[in-house]
């Protein structure tokens, strides 16, 4: 029986995690460059972006690579006040063997 090994999934998850260089968050129509606040790999891959002093209507958040290319986009409608706010980007990886008819 063919089986995808956990090592393969771990390596793919690490690769995806290292691709993410930061985030772009749109607040009141203005795009803000943000750093990744935290990364978790406990239950899949999760990236977190923290908003601290920014206030206004958060309409969009995107994880980006080092070239600024968007990798994961979240459309939002959140009115952020003076309190902090964390945006989570959860990913659950799945892999399966593809049957090829030869």
């Amino acid at each position: 029986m063919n089986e995808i090994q956990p090592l393969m999934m771990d390596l793919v998850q690490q690769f995806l995690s290292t691709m993410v260089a930061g985030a772009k968050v749109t607040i009141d129509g203005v795009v803000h460059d943000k750093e990744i606040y935290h990364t978790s790999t406990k239950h899949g891959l999760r990236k977190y972006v923290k908003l601290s002093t920014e206030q206004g209507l958060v309409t969009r958040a995107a994880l980006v690579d080092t070239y600024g290319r968007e990798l994961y986009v979240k459309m939002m409608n959140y009115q952020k006040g003076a309190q902090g706010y964390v945006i989570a980007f959860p990913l659950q990886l799945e892999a399966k063997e593809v049957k090829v008819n030869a």
Side-chain angles (χ1 to χ4, degrees):
M1 178 173 158
N2 301 330
E3 185 177 284
I4 295 173
Q5 300 299 303
L7 174 61
M8 180 178 177
M9 296 305 294
D10 290 345
L11 293 173
V12 170
Q13 185 168 282
Q14 287 174 23
F15 174 74
L16 289 174
S17 183
T18 59
M19 283 181 62
V20 177
K24 292 188 180 288
V25 180
T26 305
I27 304 171
D28 286 338
V30 178
V31 178
H32 299 264
D33 292 323
K34 301 300 291 179
E35 295 181 0
I36 300 301
Y37 168 67
H38 180 68
T39 299
S40 173
T41 56
K42 196 171 208 173
H43 301 288
L45 176 62
R46 284 186 167 81
K47 294 283 185 178
Y48 298 94
V49 176
K50 185 175 184 179
L51 304 178
S52 299
T53 59
E54 305 86 349
Q55 293 187 34
L57 182 62
V58 181
T59 54
R60 191 172 191 276
L63 295 180
V64 296
D65 67 6
T66 56
Y67 299 103
R69 298 177 297 189
E70 295 180 343
L71 304 172
Y72 186 159
V73 177
K74 290 182 90 164
M75 300 307 293
M76 304 176 68
N77 187 24
Y78 177 73
Q79 186 65 44
K80 186 189 172 298
Q83 293 185 342
Y85 184 68
V86 176
I87 302 168
F89 293 86
L91 281 168
Q92 183 68 45
L93 301 176
E94 293 181 11
K96 65 179 181 178
E97 179 183 15
V98 177
K99 302 291 184 199
V100 179
N101 297 329

